[in-house]
Amino acid sequence: MSPEAQIRSTKPEAMSNLYTIILAVAFGAVLATAAFVAVKCYFDYNTLFTIP
Amino acid sequence: MSNLTKILIVLLTVSAIFLCGIVVTYIANANNYKEKYTKLSSDRAALEQEKESLNNQLKEKIQQKDDLEKSLSSQVASLKTKEDDLQTKITGIEREKAELLERVNSWASITKDFQATTDKQTQLLSTAQEDVKQLKADQIKLSKELEQTSAAVVEKNALIDAAEAEKRRLIEEKADLQNRLDKIVQTGGNVPAAGAPVTQEKGKAMPSQPANETINLKAQISEVDAKNSLATISIGSADGVKEGMKFHVTRSDEFICDVLIVNVDTEKAVGVLELVQQPPKVGDNASTNL
């Protein structure tokens, strides 16, 4: 790719897709954990944030 | 992208995954406190209810206990009254018992003396019975001897009568001969006819033999009629039994009675019991000679 073309495109582009995937996996793990905790709280206590 | 950023990304990812795993494990194994609370609440309510019912039962039992205590108290009072009455009666009965025991002791000594006297009397009675038996046996023996002697006397009397008749005949014959001799002397040799003596010559009396001693019949008692004093013996006219015979009944060496035969059949004979010492039994020996 020529330097002119790099200057012309304004959309940021990841430096490496590998690390993006790693970050996505970490985000997904955190999200899945949050969902599991929420489901567990809801089924056990019928609420998510209040203390019964 | 710098290397530091890459390292941070990797570390962030690893630590996020690790922490998420820890959280998931903890949440998965966490206790369900709401469920436990609900369960404990229901248990507590049940226990409260049970406590209430037990309290009610306890009150009822206490009430029943009070009622029972009252009734038992009244019963105890009445029983104490009865006990006092019974104690009084027992005292009286014990006094009577002591008096009765004294009487029993005195009666026991009297009974003991009476028993000793009875034993002595029994001994004397048995001795007297033995003497009576001996005397009866002697009497029977003497009666038999008397009968034999009487028979001998009768025979001797008969002999004496016969001898006296012979003597009278001889005297008459002598007187007749004397008369004839006197007439011969007076007439000078003419012989007068001989006169017959008034007393006729009889046959010479001979002692009779006892009939039973020669016969010696032996039999057994086959029937006894104690009511009519009759007994049946096991032999009859076929064996030579005749009316008027006398059988002596014995048991081993003991004399029982005599049987005077009054009716004779072919195979049996019936007689009257005489000189009964003991009641005869079927099977006793009967014989004409002792």
Side-chain angles (χ1 to χ4, degrees):
Chain A
M1 186 179 292
S2 64
E4 289 86 3
Q6 284 181 357
I7 293 167
R8 259 187 276 131
S9 80
T10 57
K11 188 177 178 183
E13 207 169 300
M15 295 300 291
S16 172
N17 287 330
L18 176 65
Y19 293 100
T20 304
I21 290 169
I22 289 171
L23 280 175
V25 167
F27 178 73
V30 171
L31 192 65
T33 301
F36 174 71
V37 170
V39 168
K40 184 81 175 171
C41 283
Y42 184 78
F43 279 109
D44 284 351
Y45 303 110
N46 292 325
T47 181
L48 289 180
F49 302 110
T50 57
I51 295 174
Chain B
M1 184 182 294
S2 65
N3 287 332
L4 182 60
T5 305
K6 291 178 182 176
I7 290 168
L8 284 175
I9 285 171
V10 171
L11 283 176
L12 176 67
T13 304
V14 169
S15 61
I17 291 170
F18 178 71
L19 286 174
C20 286
I22 288 173
V23 168
V24 166
T25 305
Y26 176 75
I27 292 297
N29 293 324
N31 292 322
N32 189 349
Y33 288 107
K34 186 183 178 187
E35 187 180 343
K36 282 190 176 181
Y37 171 76
T38 308
K39 189 180 177 187
L40 286 174
S41 293
S42 63
D43 289 347
R44 182 172 171 276
L47 288 173
E48 286 285 343
Q49 197 172 356
E50 192 175 354
K51 178 190 166 192
E52 190 69 24
S53 66
L54 287 173
N55 277 333
N56 290 333
Q57 287 182 4
L58 179 64
K59 284 179 184 172
E60 287 178 2
K61 293 290 180 187
I62 287 171
Q63 185 66 30
Q64 288 177 359
K65 187 204 84 176
D66 291 341
D67 295 342
L68 190 62
E69 195 174 345
K70 282 180 186 173
S71 65
L72 286 175
S73 296
S74 61
Q75 285 182 5
V76 164
S78 64
L79 287 174
K80 276 189 178 177
T81 310
K82 286 184 181 176
E83 184 191 1
D84 292 340
D85 294 343
L86 289 174
Q87 195 67 35
T88 310
K89 285 183 182 176
I90 285 171
T91 309
I93 288 171
E94 281 182 350
R95 197 180 305 122
E96 289 180 5
K97 180 188 166 190
E99 292 174 0
L100 289 173
L101 276 176
E102 280 185 22
R103 282 191 193 175
V104 165
N105 288 332
S106 63
W107 277 108
S109 61
I110 291 169
T111 308
K112 200 178 286 181
D113 295 342
F114 183 71
Q115 186 70 32
T117 309
T118 307
D119 291 342
K120 284 181 185 173
Q121 295 290 341
T122 307
Q123 275 185 338
L124 289 173
L125 179 64
S126 60
T127 310
Q129 282 178 342
E130 290 292 327
D131 291 344
V132 167
K133 276 186 183 176
Q134 186 67 35
L135 287 173
K136 281 186 178 176
D138 292 344
Q139 183 191 3
I140 291 165
K141 200 180 288 179
L142 289 173
S143 298
K144 194 164 182 64
E145 288 179 0
L146 178 63
E147 285 179 2
Q148 290 176 352
T149 308
S150 298
V153 167
V154 170
E155 289 170 3
K156 298 292 183 191
N157 283 335
L159 286 173
I160 288 169
D161 290 342
E164 282 181 351
E166 182 69 19
K167 181 183 169 187
R168 277 197 301 274
R169 193 183 63 79
L170 289 173
I171 289 171
E172 288 171 0
E173 197 173 343
K174 178 187 170 188
D176 185 47
L177 287 174
Q178 187 67 40
N179 288 333
R180 284 171 63 190
L181 185 62
D182 292 343
K183 285 179 182 175
I184 289 170
V185 170
Q186 288 173 0
T187 57
N190 292 333
V191 179
V198 177
T199 305
Q200 297 296 321
E201 188 177 4
K202 293 180 180 177
K204 196 173 183 179
M206 297 293 289
S208 64
Q209 293 294 324
N212 288 353
E213 286 183 2
T214 55
I215 296 172
N216 194 15
L217 293 174
K218 290 184 178 177
Q220 286 187 333
I221 298 292
S222 57
E223 288 179 34
V224 175
D225 184 2
K227 194 174 179 181
N228 298 317
S229 294
L230 294 174
T232 305
I233 60 173
S234 58
I235 57 176
S237 59
D239 297 301
V241 180
K242 293 176 181 174
E243 287 185 10
M245 277 188 174
K246 187 175 281 186
F247 282 78
H248 308 292
V249 180
T250 56
R251 190 181 302 148
S252 63
D253 293 335
E254 198 172 3
F255 176 79
I256 305 298
C257 63
D258 282 345
V259 177
L260 180 63
I261 301 299
V262 295
N263 187 12
V264 181
D265 202 353
T266 309
E267 296 294 334
K268 63 181 181 179
V270 179
V272 181
L273 301 178
E274 292 180 342
L275 300 174
V276 178
Q277 305 299 311
Q278 293 180 25
K281 294 179 182 175
V282 174
D284 287 344
N285 295 319
S287 61
T288 53
N289 297 331
L290 281 175

